[in-house]
Amino acid sequence: MDFSQFSPAERSHMEQLIQQKQMKDFMRLYTGLVQRCFETCADNMKATSINAEEETCVNRCIDKFMKHSERVGQRFAEQNALLTQQLNDQHK
């Protein structure tokens, strides 16, 4: 985003708003991951710690989520590059 037309105070405010939104998005994503993996993997609510089976399940759940997120990020970057190229081609 180009904030060059804004004053320094406005730029600072916009950057702060973007950082807050990014933190909210990250926390929403993290909370969703924790909830999903907990619901899938936690079997025994009476135990004081997780057992080996639950730990393996959690590790798989997180790994799958991370791989999926990486793949989505790659596809997003590819689509963004394609759209940017198309826009550049239109303006020539």
Side-chain angles (χ1 to χ4, degrees):
M1 234 177 227
D2 181 20
F3 297 135
S4 60
Q5 73 273 17
F6 295 127
S7 72
E10 290 171 326
R11 269 196 301 266
S12 177
H13 180 70
M14 290 299 291
E15 289 169 359
Q16 188 177 34
L17 289 174
I18 290 169
Q19 287 175 354
Q20 288 173 353
K21 182 177 181 344
Q22 288 174 336
M23 181 56 82
K24 277 184 181 180
D25 290 344
F26 170 77
M27 291 306 296
R28 185 174 31 84
L29 193 66
Y30 177 78
T31 301
L33 172 63
V34 169
Q35 182 177 359
R36 181 178 20 230
C37 292
F38 178 81
E39 289 173 355
T40 301
C41 300
D43 293 327
N44 185 357
M45 297 302 151
K46 294 180 181 180
T48 58
S49 61
I50 63 174
N51 61 37
E53 186 178 305
E54 290 171 327
E55 186 172 356
T56 300
C57 180
V58 168
N59 288 334
R60 275 195 211 127
C61 182
I62 291 169
D63 187 50
K64 189 183 272 188
F65 176 82
M66 296 303 289
K67 286 179 181 176
H68 174 75
S69 294
E70 183 179 315
R71 181 91 167 147
V72 168
Q74 287 173 343
R75 292 294 164 249
F76 179 76
E78 290 169 4
Q79 290 298 314
N80 192 37
L82 181 64
L83 287 172
T84 300
Q85 183 62 43
Q86 288 173 348
L87 287 172
N88 288 337
D89 290 346
Q90 288 176 355
H91 286 86
K92 287 184 180 180

